[in-house]
PDB file of all heavy atoms in Angstrom:
ATOM      1  N   ARG A  16     -16.773  21.412  11.106  1.00 97.00           N
ATOM      2  CA  ARG A  16     -16.201  20.321  11.908  1.00 97.00           C
ATOM      3  C   ARG A  16     -16.880  18.989  11.569  1.00 97.00           C
ATOM      4  O   ARG A  16     -16.210  17.988  11.333  1.00 97.00           O
ATOM      5  CB  ARG A  16     -16.338  20.623  13.393  1.00 97.00           C
ATOM      6  CG  ARG A  16     -15.786  19.525  14.303  1.00 97.00           C
ATOM      7  CD  ARG A  16     -15.979  19.868  15.781  1.00 97.00           C
ATOM      8  NE  ARG A  16     -15.368  21.129  16.130  1.00 97.00           N
ATOM      9  CZ  ARG A  16     -14.085  21.271  16.504  1.00 97.00           C
ATOM     10  NH1 ARG A  16     -13.307  20.222  16.555  1.00 97.00           N
ATOM     11  NH2 ARG A  16     -13.607  22.450  16.813  1.00 97.00           N
ATOM     12  N   GLN A  17     -18.197  18.992  11.524  1.00 96.00           N
ATOM     13  CA  GLN A  17     -18.929  17.759  11.233  1.00 96.00           C
ATOM     14  C   GLN A  17     -18.640  17.276   9.820  1.00 96.00           C
ATOM     15  O   GLN A  17     -18.489  16.074   9.584  1.00 96.00           O
ATOM     16  CB  GLN A  17     -20.432  17.959  11.439  1.00 96.00           C
ATOM     17  CG  GLN A  17     -21.210  16.666  11.431  1.00 96.00           C
ATOM     18  CD  GLN A  17     -20.811  15.754  12.589  1.00 96.00           C
ATOM     19  OE1 GLN A  17     -20.857  16.157  13.739  1.00 96.00           O
ATOM     20  NE2 GLN A  17     -20.407  14.538  12.280  1.00 96.00           N
ATOM     21  N   THR A  18     -18.550  18.203   8.879  1.00 96.00           N
ATOM     22  CA  THR A  18     -18.231  17.823   7.501  1.00 96.00           C
ATOM     23  C   THR A  18     -16.874  17.139   7.439  1.00 96.00           C
ATOM     24  O   THR A  18     -16.729  16.083   6.804  1.00 96.00           O
ATOM     25  CB  THR A  18     -18.249  19.061   6.581  1.00 96.00           C
ATOM     26  OG1 THR A  18     -19.572  19.593   6.551  1.00 96.00           O
ATOM     27  CG2 THR A  18     -17.805  18.713   5.169  1.00 96.00           C
ATOM     28  N   LEU A  19     -15.873  17.707   8.098  1.00 97.00           N
ATOM     29  CA  LEU A  19     -14.545  17.096   8.068  1.00 97.00           C
ATOM     30  C   LEU A  19     -14.555  15.726   8.742  1.00 97.00           C
ATOM     31  O   LEU A  19     -13.996  14.760   8.211  1.00 97.00           O
ATOM     32  CB  LEU A  19     -13.516  18.019   8.719  1.00 97.00           C
ATOM     33  CG  LEU A  19     -13.238  19.320   7.954  1.00 97.00           C
ATOM     34  CD1 LEU A  19     -12.312  20.221   8.756  1.00 97.00           C
ATOM     35  CD2 LEU A  19     -12.670  19.052   6.583  1.00 97.00           C
ATOM     36  N   GLU A  20     -15.208  15.627   9.886  1.00 97.00           N
ATOM     37  CA  GLU A  20     -15.268  14.339  10.584  1.00 97.00           C
ATOM     38  C   GLU A  20     -15.974  13.289   9.731  1.00 97.00           C
ATOM     39  O   GLU A  20     -15.541  12.134   9.661  1.00 97.00           O
ATOM     40  CB  GLU A  20     -15.943  14.505  11.936  1.00 97.00           C
ATOM     41  CG  GLU A  20     -15.071  15.267  12.920  1.00 97.00           C
ATOM     42  CD  GLU A  20     -15.751  15.587  14.246  1.00 97.00           C
ATOM     43  OE1 GLU A  20     -16.913  15.166  14.460  1.00 97.00           O
ATOM     44  OE2 GLU A  20     -15.100  16.264  15.069  1.00 97.00           O
ATOM     45  N   ASN A  21     -17.049  13.670   9.051  1.00 97.00           N
ATOM     46  CA  ASN A  21     -17.750  12.729   8.180  1.00 97.00           C
ATOM     47  C   ASN A  21     -16.920  12.372   6.950  1.00 97.00           C
ATOM     48  O   ASN A  21     -16.979  11.235   6.466  1.00 97.00           O
ATOM     49  CB  ASN A  21     -19.110  13.290   7.768  1.00 97.00           C
ATOM     50  CG  ASN A  21     -20.093  13.301   8.918  1.00 97.00           C
ATOM     51  OD1 ASN A  21     -19.949  12.582   9.898  1.00 97.00           O
ATOM     52  ND2 ASN A  21     -21.105  14.147   8.809  1.00 97.00           N
ATOM     53  N   ALA A  22     -16.145  13.318   6.453  1.00 97.00           N
ATOM     54  CA  ALA A  22     -15.272  13.033   5.307  1.00 97.00           C
ATOM     55  C   ALA A  22     -14.224  11.990   5.685  1.00 97.00           C
ATOM     56  O   ALA A  22     -13.915  11.099   4.881  1.00 97.00           O
ATOM     57  CB  ALA A  22     -14.601  14.312   4.815  1.00 97.00           C
ATOM     58  N   TYR A  23     -13.689  12.067   6.902  1.00 97.00           N
ATOM     59  CA  TYR A  23     -12.716  11.063   7.339  1.00 97.00           C
ATOM     60  C   TYR A  23     -13.354   9.670   7.324  1.00 97.00           C
ATOM     61  O   TYR A  23     -12.726   8.695   6.909  1.00 97.00           O
ATOM     62  CB  TYR A  23     -12.212  11.338   8.754  1.00 97.00           C
ATOM     63  CG  TYR A  23     -11.643  12.714   9.014  1.00 97.00           C
ATOM     64  CD1 TYR A  23     -11.699  13.262  10.297  1.00 97.00           C
ATOM     65  CD2 TYR A  23     -11.034  13.475   8.014  1.00 97.00           C
ATOM     66  CE1 TYR A  23     -11.163  14.507  10.569  1.00 97.00           C
ATOM     67  CE2 TYR A  23     -10.516  14.728   8.280  1.00 97.00           C
ATOM     68  CZ  TYR A  23     -10.586  15.239   9.561  1.00 97.00           C
ATOM     69  OH  TYR A  23     -10.070  16.478   9.834  1.00 97.00           O
ATOM     70  N   ILE A  24     -14.593   9.593   7.771  1.00 96.00           N
ATOM     71  CA  ILE A  24     -15.308   8.306   7.783  1.00 96.00           C
ATOM     72  C   ILE A  24     -15.459   7.778   6.365  1.00 96.00           C
ATOM     73  O   ILE A  24     -15.215   6.594   6.096  1.00 96.00           O
ATOM     74  CB  ILE A  24     -16.675   8.455   8.479  1.00 96.00           C
ATOM     75  CG1 ILE A  24     -16.479   8.736   9.968  1.00 96.00           C
ATOM     76  CG2 ILE A  24     -17.542   7.210   8.262  1.00 96.00           C
ATOM     77  CD1 ILE A  24     -17.729   9.194  10.695  1.00 96.00           C
ATOM     78  N   GLU A  25     -15.842   8.655   5.434  1.00 97.00           N
ATOM     79  CA  GLU A  25     -16.031   8.234   4.042  1.00 97.00           C
ATOM     80  C   GLU A  25     -14.713   7.788   3.409  1.00 97.00           C
ATOM     81  O   GLU A  25     -14.688   6.823   2.638  1.00 97.00           O
ATOM     82  CB  GLU A  25     -16.687   9.343   3.220  1.00 97.00           C
ATOM     83  CG  GLU A  25     -18.112   9.646   3.634  1.00 97.00           C
ATOM     84  CD  GLU A  25     -19.018   8.424   3.590  1.00 97.00           C
ATOM     85  OE1 GLU A  25     -18.992   7.691   2.580  1.00 97.00           O
ATOM     86  OE2 GLU A  25     -19.741   8.194   4.582  1.00 97.00           O
ATOM     87  N   ILE A  26     -13.640   8.461   3.720  1.00 97.00           N
ATOM     88  CA  ILE A  26     -12.337   8.053   3.191  1.00 97.00           C
ATOM     89  C   ILE A  26     -11.980   6.660   3.715  1.00 97.00           C
ATOM     90  O   ILE A  26     -11.468   5.823   2.971  1.00 97.00           O
ATOM     91  CB  ILE A  26     -11.254   9.091   3.541  1.00 97.00           C
ATOM     92  CG1 ILE A  26     -11.456  10.329   2.669  1.00 97.00           C
ATOM     93  CG2 ILE A  26      -9.849   8.502   3.357  1.00 97.00           C
ATOM     94  CD1 ILE A  26     -10.617  11.509   3.036  1.00 97.00           C
ATOM     95  N   GLY A  27     -12.296   6.401   4.969  1.00 95.00           N
ATOM     96  CA  GLY A  27     -12.046   5.082   5.544  1.00 95.00           C
ATOM     97  C   GLY A  27     -12.850   3.973   4.893  1.00 95.00           C
ATOM     98  O   GLY A  27     -12.484   2.799   4.994  1.00 95.00           O
ATOM     99  N   LYS A  28     -13.918   4.332   4.203  1.00 96.00           N
ATOM    100  CA  LYS A  28     -14.756   3.344   3.508  1.00 96.00           C
ATOM    101  C   LYS A  28     -14.284   3.065   2.080  1.00 96.00           C
ATOM    102  O   LYS A  28     -14.802   2.150   1.434  1.00 96.00           O
ATOM    103  CB  LYS A  28     -16.207   3.835   3.446  1.00 96.00           C
ATOM    104  CG  LYS A  28     -16.903   3.920   4.786  1.00 96.00           C
ATOM    105  CD  LYS A  28     -18.314   4.463   4.586  1.00 96.00           C
ATOM    106  CE  LYS A  28     -19.056   4.669   5.879  1.00 96.00           C
ATOM    107  NZ  LYS A  28     -20.388   5.271   5.643  1.00 96.00           N
ATOM    108  N   LEU A  29     -13.328   3.838   1.579  1.00 97.00           N
ATOM    109  CA  LEU A  29     -12.860   3.624   0.217  1.00 97.00           C
ATOM    110  C   LEU A  29     -12.220   2.246   0.095  1.00 97.00           C
ATOM    111  O   LEU A  29     -11.566   1.776   1.028  1.00 97.00           O
ATOM    112  CB  LEU A  29     -11.847   4.702  -0.188  1.00 97.00           C
ATOM    113  CG  LEU A  29     -12.379   6.124  -0.320  1.00 97.00           C
ATOM    114  CD1 LEU A  29     -11.236   7.092  -0.592  1.00 97.00           C
ATOM    115  CD2 LEU A  29     -13.428   6.211  -1.421  1.00 97.00           C
ATOM    116  N   PRO A  30     -12.381   1.600  -1.064  1.00 95.00           N
ATOM    117  CA  PRO A  30     -11.791   0.266  -1.225  1.00 95.00           C
ATOM    118  C   PRO A  30     -10.266   0.317  -1.132  1.00 95.00           C
ATOM    119  O   PRO A  30      -9.635   1.241  -1.650  1.00 95.00           O
ATOM    120  CB  PRO A  30     -12.233  -0.160  -2.628  1.00 95.00           C
ATOM    121  CG  PRO A  30     -12.736   1.058  -3.299  1.00 95.00           C
ATOM    122  CD  PRO A  30     -13.087   2.054  -2.242  1.00 95.00           C
ATOM    123  N   ASP A  31      -9.711  -0.677  -0.458  1.00 95.00           N
ATOM    124  CA  ASP A  31      -8.253  -0.805  -0.334  1.00 95.00           C
ATOM    125  C   ASP A  31      -7.600   0.460   0.209  1.00 95.00           C
ATOM    126  O   ASP A  31      -6.490   0.817  -0.209  1.00 95.00           O
ATOM    127  CB  ASP A  31      -7.629  -1.182  -1.684  1.00 95.00           C
ATOM    128  CG  ASP A  31      -8.077  -2.547  -2.161  1.00 95.00           C
ATOM    129  OD1 ASP A  31      -8.151  -3.464  -1.322  1.00 95.00           O
ATOM    130  OD2 ASP A  31      -8.352  -2.694  -3.366  1.00 95.00           O
ATOM    131  N   THR A  32      -8.286   1.136   1.111  1.00 97.00           N
ATOM    132  CA  THR A  32      -7.771   2.381   1.682  1.00 97.00           C
ATOM    133  C   THR A  32      -7.983   2.366   3.185  1.00 97.00           C
ATOM    134  O   THR A  32      -9.043   1.968   3.670  1.00 97.00           O
ATOM    135  CB  THR A  32      -8.479   3.605   1.062  1.00 97.00           C
ATOM    136  OG1 THR A  32      -8.218   3.606  -0.349  1.00 97.00           O
ATOM    137  CG2 THR A  32      -7.990   4.908   1.656  1.00 97.00           C
ATOM    138  N   GLU A  33      -6.979   2.823   3.904  1.00 97.00           N
ATOM    139  CA  GLU A  33      -7.044   2.906   5.364  1.00 97.00           C
ATOM    140  C   GLU A  33      -6.670   4.321   5.793  1.00 97.00           C
ATOM    141  O   GLU A  33      -5.638   4.853   5.364  1.00 97.00           O
ATOM    142  CB  GLU A  33      -6.046   1.911   5.963  1.00 97.00           C
ATOM    143  CG  GLU A  33      -5.872   2.026   7.446  1.00 97.00           C
ATOM    144  CD  GLU A  33      -4.676   1.210   7.939  1.00 97.00           C
ATOM    145  OE1 GLU A  33      -4.113   0.422   7.173  1.00 97.00           O
ATOM    146  OE2 GLU A  33      -4.312   1.413   9.111  1.00 97.00           O
ATOM    147  N   LEU A  34      -7.509   4.930   6.609  1.00 97.00           N
ATOM    148  CA  LEU A  34      -7.183   6.229   7.189  1.00 97.00           C
ATOM    149  C   LEU A  34      -6.281   5.968   8.383  1.00 97.00           C
ATOM    150  O   LEU A  34      -6.690   5.327   9.359  1.00 97.00           O
ATOM    151  CB  LEU A  34      -8.457   6.965   7.617  1.00 97.00           C
ATOM    152  CG  LEU A  34      -8.260   8.341   8.244  1.00 97.00           C
ATOM    153  CD1 LEU A  34      -7.642   9.319   7.259  1.00 97.00           C
ATOM    154  CD2 LEU A  34      -9.582   8.879   8.757  1.00 97.00           C
ATOM    155  N   VAL A  35      -5.048   6.428   8.316  1.00 98.00           N
ATOM    156  CA  VAL A  35      -4.052   6.160   9.354  1.00 98.00           C
ATOM    157  C   VAL A  35      -4.179   7.150  10.498  1.00 98.00           C
ATOM    158  O   VAL A  35      -4.222   6.768  11.662  1.00 98.00           O
ATOM    159  CB  VAL A  35      -2.625   6.188   8.762  1.00 98.00           C
ATOM    160  CG1 VAL A  35      -1.571   6.009   9.846  1.00 98.00           C
ATOM    161  CG2 VAL A  35      -2.482   5.136   7.670  1.00 98.00           C
ATOM    162  N   CYS A  36      -4.230   8.451  10.173  1.00 98.00           N
ATOM    163  CA  CYS A  36      -4.343   9.474  11.213  1.00 98.00           C
ATOM    164  C   CYS A  36      -4.762  10.799  10.592  1.00 98.00           C
ATOM    165  O   CYS A  36      -4.638  11.000   9.385  1.00 98.00           O
ATOM    166  CB  CYS A  36      -3.024   9.645  11.971  1.00 98.00           C
ATOM    167  SG  CYS A  36      -1.675  10.303  10.984  1.00 98.00           S
ATOM    168  N   VAL A  37      -5.262  11.678  11.442  1.00 98.00           N
ATOM    169  CA  VAL A  37      -5.585  13.045  11.032  1.00 98.00           C
ATOM    170  C   VAL A  37      -5.021  14.001  12.073  1.00 98.00           C
ATOM    171  O   VAL A  37      -4.875  13.662  13.245  1.00 98.00           O
ATOM    172  CB  VAL A  37      -7.107  13.289  10.861  1.00 98.00           C
ATOM    173  CG1 VAL A  37      -7.640  12.505   9.684  1.00 98.00           C
ATOM    174  CG2 VAL A  37      -7.866  12.976  12.108  1.00 98.00           C
ATOM    175  N   SER A  38      -4.713  15.184  11.618  1.00 98.00           N
ATOM    176  CA  SER A  38      -4.208  16.231  12.505  1.00 98.00           C
ATOM    177  C   SER A  38      -5.359  16.844  13.294  1.00 98.00           C
ATOM    178  O   SER A  38      -6.531  16.549  13.052  1.00 98.00           O
ATOM    179  CB  SER A  38      -3.532  17.334  11.681  1.00 98.00           C
ATOM    180  OG  SER A  38      -4.512  18.082  10.958  1.00 98.00           O
ATOM    181  N   GLY A  39      -5.000  17.754  14.163  1.00 97.00           N
ATOM    182  CA  GLY A  39      -6.000  18.593  14.786  1.00 97.00           C
ATOM    183  C   GLY A  39      -6.569  19.558  13.755  1.00 97.00           C
ATOM    184  O   GLY A  39      -6.102  19.623  12.612  1.00 97.00           O
ATOM    185  N   LEU A  40      -7.584  20.299  14.162  1.00 97.00           N
ATOM    186  CA  LEU A  40      -8.214  21.275  13.278  1.00 97.00           C
ATOM    187  C   LEU A  40      -7.615  22.653  13.520  1.00 97.00           C
ATOM    188  O   LEU A  40      -7.355  23.032  14.670  1.00 97.00           O
ATOM    189  CB  LEU A  40      -9.723  21.313  13.526  1.00 97.00           C
ATOM    190  CG  LEU A  40     -10.479  20.023  13.216  1.00 97.00           C
ATOM    191  CD1 LEU A  40     -11.929  20.146  13.655  1.00 97.00           C
ATOM    192  CD2 LEU A  40     -10.385  19.678  11.744  1.00 97.00           C
ATOM    193  N   TYR A  41      -7.442  23.397  12.464  1.00 96.00           N
ATOM    194  CA  TYR A  41      -6.867  24.738  12.525  1.00 96.00           C
ATOM    195  C   TYR A  41      -7.812  25.701  11.824  1.00 96.00           C
ATOM    196  O   TYR A  41      -8.162  25.484  10.661  1.00 96.00           O
ATOM    197  CB  TYR A  41      -5.499  24.758  11.832  1.00 96.00           C
ATOM    198  CG  TYR A  41      -4.481  23.897  12.533  1.00 96.00           C
ATOM    199  CD1 TYR A  41      -4.400  22.538  12.279  1.00 96.00           C
ATOM    200  CD2 TYR A  41      -3.617  24.453  13.468  1.00 96.00           C
ATOM    201  CE1 TYR A  41      -3.467  21.736  12.930  1.00 96.00           C
ATOM    202  CE2 TYR A  41      -2.680  23.667  14.121  1.00 96.00           C
ATOM    203  CZ  TYR A  41      -2.615  22.308  13.846  1.00 96.00           C
ATOM    204  OH  TYR A  41      -1.688  21.531  14.501  1.00 96.00           O
ATOM    205  N   GLU A  42      -8.218  26.748  12.512  1.00 95.00           N
ATOM    206  CA  GLU A  42      -9.088  27.752  11.907  1.00 95.00           C
ATOM    207  C   GLU A  42      -8.211  28.828  11.286  1.00 95.00           C
ATOM    208  O   GLU A  42      -7.312  29.366  11.938  1.00 95.00           O
ATOM    209  CB  GLU A  42     -10.030  28.361  12.943  1.00 95.00           C
ATOM    210  CG  GLU A  42     -11.074  29.246  12.308  1.00 95.00           C
ATOM    211  CD  GLU A  42     -12.269  29.488  13.212  1.00 95.00           C
ATOM    212  OE1 GLU A  42     -12.115  29.436  14.432  1.00 95.00           O
ATOM    213  OE2 GLU A  42     -13.358  29.717  12.670  1.00 95.00           O
ATOM    214  N   THR A  43      -8.479  29.118  10.007  1.00 90.00           N
ATOM    215  CA  THR A  43      -7.649  30.071   9.282  1.00 90.00           C
ATOM    216  C   THR A  43      -8.514  31.001   8.427  1.00 90.00           C
ATOM    217  O   THR A  43      -9.627  30.657   8.042  1.00 90.00           O
ATOM    218  CB  THR A  43      -6.653  29.341   8.350  1.00 90.00           C
ATOM    219  OG1 THR A  43      -7.376  28.574   7.395  1.00 90.00           O
ATOM    220  CG2 THR A  43      -5.729  28.430   9.135  1.00 90.00           C
ATOM    221  N   LYS A  44      -7.958  32.152   8.146  1.00 87.00           N
ATOM    222  CA  LYS A  44      -8.598  33.095   7.231  1.00 87.00           C
ATOM    223  C   LYS A  44      -8.440  32.584   5.800  1.00 87.00           C
ATOM    224  O   LYS A  44      -7.442  31.942   5.473  1.00 87.00           O
ATOM    225  CB  LYS A  44      -7.946  34.479   7.336  1.00 87.00           C
ATOM    226  CG  LYS A  44      -8.080  35.117   8.708  1.00 87.00           C
ATOM    227  CD  LYS A  44      -9.480  35.585   8.928  1.00 87.00           C
ATOM    228  CE  LYS A  44      -9.617  36.257  10.302  1.00 87.00           C
ATOM    229  NZ  LYS A  44     -11.007  36.297  10.720  1.00 87.00           N
ATOM    230  N   PRO A  45      -9.399  32.859   4.919  1.00 84.00           N
ATOM    231  CA  PRO A  45      -9.272  32.451   3.521  1.00 84.00           C
ATOM    232  C   PRO A  45      -8.069  33.134   2.860  1.00 84.00           C
ATOM    233  O   PRO A  45      -7.735  34.275   3.180  1.00 84.00           O
ATOM    234  CB  PRO A  45     -10.565  32.930   2.873  1.00 84.00           C
ATOM    235  CG  PRO A  45     -11.499  33.201   3.998  1.00 84.00           C
ATOM    236  CD  PRO A  45     -10.661  33.535   5.191  1.00 84.00           C
ATOM    237  N   VAL A  46      -7.424  32.412   1.960  1.00 81.00           N
ATOM    238  CA  VAL A  46      -6.301  32.945   1.194  1.00 81.00           C
ATOM    239  C   VAL A  46      -6.721  32.978  -0.266  1.00 81.00           C
ATOM    240  O   VAL A  46      -7.104  31.953  -0.827  1.00 81.00           O
ATOM    241  CB  VAL A  46      -5.047  32.065   1.374  1.00 81.00           C
ATOM    242  CG1 VAL A  46      -3.917  32.539   0.468  1.00 81.00           C
ATOM    243  CG2 VAL A  46      -4.603  32.065   2.832  1.00 81.00           C
ATOM    244  N   GLY A  47      -6.665  34.165  -0.870  1.00 74.00           N
ATOM    245  CA  GLY A  47      -7.097  34.289  -2.262  1.00 74.00           C
ATOM    246  C   GLY A  47      -8.611  34.179  -2.360  1.00 74.00           C
ATOM    247  O   GLY A  47      -9.321  34.099  -1.368  1.00 74.00           O
ATOM    248  N   GLY A  48      -9.088  34.180  -3.564  1.00 68.00           N
ATOM    249  CA  GLY A  48     -10.520  34.015  -3.776  1.00 68.00           C
ATOM    250  C   GLY A  48     -11.315  35.257  -3.452  1.00 68.00           C
ATOM    251  O   GLY A  48     -10.774  36.294  -3.089  1.00 68.00           O
ATOM    252  N   PRO A  49     -12.633  35.135  -3.536  1.00 72.00           N
ATOM    253  CA  PRO A  49     -13.511  36.276  -3.278  1.00 72.00           C
ATOM    254  C   PRO A  49     -13.418  36.765  -1.830  1.00 72.00           C
ATOM    255  O   PRO A  49     -13.236  35.961  -0.915  1.00 72.00           O
ATOM    256  CB  PRO A  49     -14.914  35.719  -3.561  1.00 72.00           C
ATOM    257  CG  PRO A  49     -14.728  34.415  -4.229  1.00 72.00           C
ATOM    258  CD  PRO A  49     -13.356  33.940  -3.919  1.00 72.00           C
TER     259      PRO A  49
END
Side-chain angles (χ1 to χ4, degrees):
R16 179 181 303 273
Q17 192 64 55
T18 296
L19 293 174
E20 289 174 3
N21 289 339
Y23 306 152
I24 292 168
E25 293 304 313
I26 287 171
K28 293 178 184 177
L29 293 174
D31 296 319
T32 299
E33 172 191 350
L34 180 64
V35 176
C36 66
V37 292
S38 71
L40 297 174
Y41 295 84
E42 189 161 27
T43 61
K44 298 287 181 200
V46 174

